[in-house]
Amino acid sequence: MSVEQSPEHEPSEITYAEHYHPARPRSLRHRARVKSPVPRRSVTQDGEPTGTNPAYVSWLLSQSMLADANEIARQFSGSGTMWQNPFANPGPRQAVETASVWFTAYPLSLITRPDESFLAALADEDLWKAFSDIGIEGVHTGPVKRAGGITGWRTTPSVDGHFDRMSTEIDPAFGTEAEFRAMCGMATWHGGTIIDDIVPGHTGKGADFRLAEMKYGDYPGIYHMVEIEPEDWNLLPEVPPGRDSVNLDAATEERLEKSGYIIGRLQRVIFFAEGVKETNWSATAPVVGVDGVQRRWVYLHYFKDGQPSVNWLDPSFAGMRLVIGDALHSLADLGSGALRLDANGFLGVEKSTEGLPAWSEGHPLSQAANHLIGSMVRKLGGFTFQELNLTIDDIKQTSEAGADLSYDFVNRPAYHHALATGDSEFLRLTLRTSLDLGVDPAALVHALQNHDELTYELLHWSTGHRDDLYPFRGAPTPGEEIAEAVRADLVAALTGPEHPYNLIFTTNGIACTTTSAIAAILGVPRLDGIDDAVRARIMRAHLLLAMFNALQPGVFALSGWDLCGILTLPPSEVTALLDHGDTRWINRGAHDLMGADPGATRSLAGMPRGRSLYGTLPEQLADETSFARQLQAILAVRRRYGIATSEQIDVPDVSHRGTLVLVHRLAEAGTLHVGVLNFANEDVTATVRSEHLLPGSVVTDMFTDREVGVVDDLLGFTIDLEPHQGHSLLVTAPPPEEVRP
């Protein structure tokens, strides 16, 4: 009896959903590493919301971050898993190897399918296929846990873009914990990593703060808060009706300092506003404690009054326990692989000599706390990065014991300045100064646009080294004058009547998108007048900036505003959001990465849709000339030659002021990467010279594998560049016997 042969089976491409089926091997299945997730208890709301009502206290405890921290910490104590990873020293290159290209999301601005949550959209398999095609390996979600406060039985909204966290639970506005875990699993399946946030500097006025006000257990130890004796309540201002606290004026701050309650004024008042925030201290209204005693407190807040500061050196160590527990939850329960540390430069405060402000910035306790956080995350196999604007010296110092990576606020305004002026002098100065001070570019996150403004604080030059002299525009120039000149150049090039679509943001920078900044630099008077020819010029300059950030050691980060080429919103579309002076809302237009809802005019959170110059990712990936496809080519070169983990060894002088040359030593012996970028809006024949180039070395275009030159006896070669064009070149040394002395 013969058996008819069946046709040969054609294997189908397995989907994530198929592979995620429980039948697959456990080693391939994403799962939380805790024995059991943090329980989410529903407690009945019954009676008056006061400290003497056990039902109210239980309701608060069910939402407490410290309670969750205690629960999750017990699952790791005594476990061998806590000793499997090195943790003492930051590992920037290991972090870069884990995920060297990041997509930085902004929950409020992502357009999703109707009724689809932000987290569900980021767990979409087609999105991760697109990310993988382009070369994106990590996603930074931004803060997605519950934020804001609690008043009585009701919750109040966030006062600072969800950076006033009050719970370890995912905010339902963004999705569910199950969707977060699914997103982490999808990232793992595609070889990627999810980067979450913790906020070690403060919380919101949630359950933990309300329990602290009631003097429940260890809770007052979480915060920099001081109980004021009733006989001294006359020193405190009255709290207006409808408020739970009031900011202290400078006179009251001084009286309380002299009375021995608080340490008084700090080095600066962030978000200073007369009559709103004149000091960093606020007084609570009378609060009934769990013991029935009525109390008033004065508490510290570096930022807004809804963001009470965490005390990292209270004898209870309750604040430290809360923050570490939040990190454990994100990494081991939800499944993220890395964390951003927000507001992590303000973790120590100490009284100074009489008459001087308290020591609140650059305090050793901040460094120690960051070391503890970074070490705990590394113990769990993750990594951290800090998004804090620092001087180059401080970046160097914090990189020795704190976060694994730091955001590159040094070169970010400098590369915009190079494009705005057609002169790379200041950019070369920032790059060289970083190298001279020992900052490894591989320890930095080099980014295009994120949710914030284009910052031009230039702290290294305007504060820490304001009086130091640097070569600039033909003469030794003080750092402070350089900073003023650069800021003036950026303001003139990007804002004003000629470019009304970009706006100044307080004293920090300019509210703009990458594409709207380039439009201003190119002299575009109106965004609605951009045609295909201007769009092509904007894209060309945009790709140049991408090459600068991507073709050097470290992480390269970009956002949906970059991927889709989103322009700024007309101020008239976000009038209510601009009322408080925060102009950054114009650069946060909603965008639809995947064409999820072509007819949507707003995101689920209500942000108006911004105009896209490049289109959705599916549209771009179908067009070989698109921004995404050309970015894909840049990232393929970055990956093929290991540029992300190379060593930056030279930023040489240039033959044309608009060009920039970067020299990197690659892992393969005898090979160098040379990036040549033209920030000028004109054709340039650039002469590239560096003492690291050997005569006779062959110069090859990394994109085409075509030989384009040979290093001459003067240690150089020439290359032609079109306006706003970049080249990525492989320089291969000749065999030793052929090297000419």
Side-chain angles (χ1 to χ4, degrees):
M1 180 176 174
S2 65
V3 179
E4 183 178 352
Q5 296 234 342
S6 61
E8 186 176 346
H9 173 66
E10 291 291 334
S12 61
E13 182 181 352
I14 189 169
T15 67
Y16 170 76
E18 293 168 335
H19 198 81
Y20 202 69
H21 192 274
R24 65 189 171 94
R26 286 185 61 84
S27 62
L28 294 179
R29 190 185 317 135
H30 171 77
R31 61 190 185 278
R33 287 184 290 171
V34 293
K35 295 176 182 177
S36 60
V38 174
R40 301 299 177 195
R41 295 176 290 272
S42 178
V43 178
T44 302
Q45 299 180 15
D46 183 31
E48 292 296 315
T50 66
T52 54
N53 180 1
Y56 184 58
V57 174
S58 295
W59 182 75
L60 291 174
L61 286 170
S62 72
Q63 303 170 74
S64 160
M65 296 176 70
L66 180 58
D68 288 350
N70 293 335
E71 176 73 27
I72 197 168
R74 283 192 287 269
Q75 299 189 46
F76 285 89
S77 298
S79 169
T81 60
M82 294 302 295
W83 300 102
Q84 305 308 310
N85 297 297
F87 64 87
N89 300 312
R93 290 175 184 272
Q94 293 89 334
V96 172
E97 288 171 351
T98 301
S100 77
V101 181
W102 300 353
F103 171 76
T104 55
Y106 190 65
L108 301 181
S109 296
L110 184 66
I111 293 176
T112 64
R113 298 182 182 93
D115 299 321
E116 180 183 47
S117 73
F118 166 75
L119 292 175
L122 283 187
D124 181 69
E125 184 170 10
D126 289 336
L127 174 65
W128 275 95
K129 283 181 178 179
F131 280 168
S132 296
D133 284 348
I134 294 168
I136 295 169
E137 303 160 331
V139 169
H140 176 214
T141 61
V144 294
K145 293 183 180 179
R146 283 185 181 271
I150 290 175
T151 298
W153 292 105
R154 65 182 179 86
T155 58
T156 56
S158 170
V159 299
D160 189 27
H162 272 71
F163 287 102
D164 47 343
R165 180 167 296 175
M166 66 171 183
S167 171
T168 62
E169 190 175 0
I170 298 296
D171 192 318
F174 302 134
T176 65
E177 290 190 350
E179 288 171 336
F180 194 107
R181 294 187 183 101
M183 173 183 64
C184 292
M186 184 65 72
T188 301
W189 175 241
H190 286 274
T193 298
I194 296 298
I195 304 161
D196 196 6
D197 293 76
I198 62 169
V199 188
H202 52 251
T203 71
K205 284 187 175 178
D208 297 276
F209 185 74
R210 297 310 177 197
L211 288 164
E213 286 182 312
M214 296 173 185
K215 206 171 184 178
Y216 179 86
D218 291 342
Y219 282 80
I222 296 174
Y223 301 103
H224 285 284
M225 59 192 305
V226 179
E227 182 180 347
I228 307 300
E229 296 297 333
E231 59 266 26
D232 290 326
W233 284 10
N234 62 299
L235 300 176
L236 303 177
E238 293 294 322
V239 177
R243 299 273 303 280
D244 63 359
S245 65
V246 61
N247 190 248
L248 305 185
D249 60 25
T252 304
E253 177 186 58
E254 185 177 2
R255 284 196 298 270
L256 288 171
E257 178 190 4
K258 290 181 177 179
S259 299
Y261 282 113
I262 62 176
I263 59 176
R265 64 189 176 101
L266 274 55
Q267 289 171 271
R268 61 173 168 157
V269 179
I270 301 172
F271 295 130
F272 175 88
E274 188 172 353
V276 177
K277 186 188 177 185
E278 298 183 1
T279 72
N280 295 295
W281 301 91
S282 286
T284 70
V287 179
V288 176
V290 293
D291 54 3
V293 176
Q294 197 173 57
R295 295 178 176 84
R296 292 194 71 183
W297 306 81
V298 170
Y299 68 93
L300 175 69
H301 53 94
Y302 282 99
F303 299 99
K304 300 176 181 179
D305 65 354
Q307 296 168 289
S309 294
V310 171
N311 185 351
W312 274 82
L313 203 55
D314 182 83
S316 70
F317 289 97
M320 181 187 298
R321 285 154 49 204
L322 179 150
V323 172
I324 296 298
D326 190 21
L328 288 170
H329 174 254
S330 289
L331 294 163
D333 191 338
L334 296 180
S336 57
L339 297 172
R340 175 177 65 172
L341 310 183
D342 182 71
N344 64 313
F346 309 105
L347 308 185
V349 59
E350 179 179 336
K351 188 176 180 63
S352 295
T353 305
E354 187 173 350
L356 295 177
W359 185 8
S360 57
E361 298 187 26
H363 195 283
L365 179 58
S366 285
Q367 300 168 27
N370 279 287
H371 193 189
L372 284 169
I373 299 169
S375 294
M376 181 61 73
V377 173
R378 287 188 286 271
K379 264 196 159 191
L380 290 167
F383 66 86
T384 57
F385 86 98
Q386 59 185 11
E387 191 170 329
L388 191 63
N389 198 357
L390 301 168
T391 65
I392 300 172
D393 316 77
D394 288 339
I395 292 174
K396 170 62 176 174
Q397 188 174 25
T398 58
S399 70
E400 294 173 353
D404 298 282
L405 302 166
S406 293
Y407 205 81
D408 186 0
F409 280 114
V410 176
N411 295 307
R412 190 164 177 245
Y415 73 72
H416 285 101
H417 183 259
L419 189 69
T421 61
D423 189 340
S424 70
E425 182 182 19
F426 181 61
L427 179 55
R428 281 179 277 126
L429 177 61
T430 63
L431 289 162
R432 288 170 174 172
T433 305
S434 296
L435 285 180
D436 290 344
L437 293 177
V439 172
D440 183 357
L444 300 177
V445 178
H446 312 286
L448 291 172
Q449 183 193 348
N450 64 7
H451 65 282
D452 279 326
E453 78 287 354
L454 191 171
T455 181
Y456 55 36
E457 284 183 294
L458 305 172
L459 290 184
H460 186 84
W461 321 99
S462 61
T463 59
H465 296 266
R466 67 172 68 88
D467 298 321
D468 293 354
L469 298 178
Y470 298 91
F472 187 70
R473 295 179 176 170
T477 307
E480 188 173 32
E481 291 184 20
I482 294 175
E484 290 174 356
V486 170
R487 282 195 291 266
D489 290 341
L490 288 170
V491 168
L494 300 183
T495 67
E498 299 85 2
H499 322 107
Y501 42 82
N502 298 324
L503 299 176
I504 297 289
F505 172 68
T506 64
T507 59
N508 294 339
I510 297 168
C512 61
T513 65
T514 306
T515 49
S516 76
I518 295 170
I521 290 168
L522 294 177
V524 176
R526 292 169 38 250
L527 296 182
D528 56 7
I530 294 176
D531 57 18
D532 288 344
V534 175
R535 172 183 165 278
R537 293 175 63 203
I538 290 174
M539 184 192 298
R540 187 181 186 89
H542 201 165
L543 289 165
L544 175 75
L545 301 185
M547 288 184 71
F548 167 75
N549 286 287
L551 298 182
Q552 62 173 305
V555 167
F556 168 53
L558 75 166
S559 63
W561 298 293
D562 288 304
L563 284 173
C564 296
I566 302 295
L567 298 168
T568 49
L569 296 168
S572 59
E573 293 192 17
V574 284
T575 303
L577 295 172
L578 301 181
D579 282 346
H580 299 290
D582 191 347
T583 57
R584 293 175 297 179
W585 292 105
I586 68 166
N587 58 246
R588 295 169 176 168
H591 46 274
D592 189 347
L593 287 174
M594 297 298 294
D597 191 356
T601 58
R602 293 179 178 269
S603 68
L604 192 63
M607 283 302 298
R609 187 180 195 128
R611 179 186 171 190
S612 170
L613 295 183
Y614 306 152
T616 66
L617 293 185
E619 291 169 342
Q620 291 190 62
L621 291 174
D623 177 5
E624 292 300 322
T625 66
S626 69
F627 178 83
R629 279 298 188 194
Q630 294 183 71
L631 178 65
Q632 178 189 46
I634 294 169
L635 298 181
V637 163
R638 170 185 167 91
R639 183 171 54 253
R640 175 184 175 187
Y641 292 98
I643 294 172
T645 52
S646 64
E647 179 188 2
Q648 192 167 99
I649 57 176
D650 197 13
V651 183
D653 291 334
V654 293
S655 59
H656 185 283
R657 68 188 186 95
T659 59
L660 175 74
V661 177
L662 299 175
V663 182
H664 304 125
R665 182 181 291 119
L666 300 177
E668 185 178 348
T671 60
L672 299 175
H673 165 246
V674 177
V676 188
L677 308 174
N678 180 18
F679 289 91
N681 194 14
E682 62 186 35
D683 293 323
V684 171
T685 297
T687 300
V688 177
R689 299 202 184 283
S690 172
E691 62 181 18
H692 296 276
L693 302 178
L694 293 177
S697 297
V698 176
V699 182
T700 306
D701 188 315
M702 287 179 165
F703 290 103
T704 65
D705 292 327
R706 181 174 61 87
E707 182 178 326
V708 295
V710 176
V711 176
D712 60 29
D713 291 341
L714 295 177
L715 312 183
F717 60 90
T718 60
I719 193 84
D720 293 328
L721 298 116
E722 297 176 8
H724 297 155
Q725 183 185 28
H727 285 295
S728 187
L729 305 170
L730 178 68
V731 179
T732 307
E737 63 274 9
E738 295 183 18
V739 176
R740 297 186 294 276

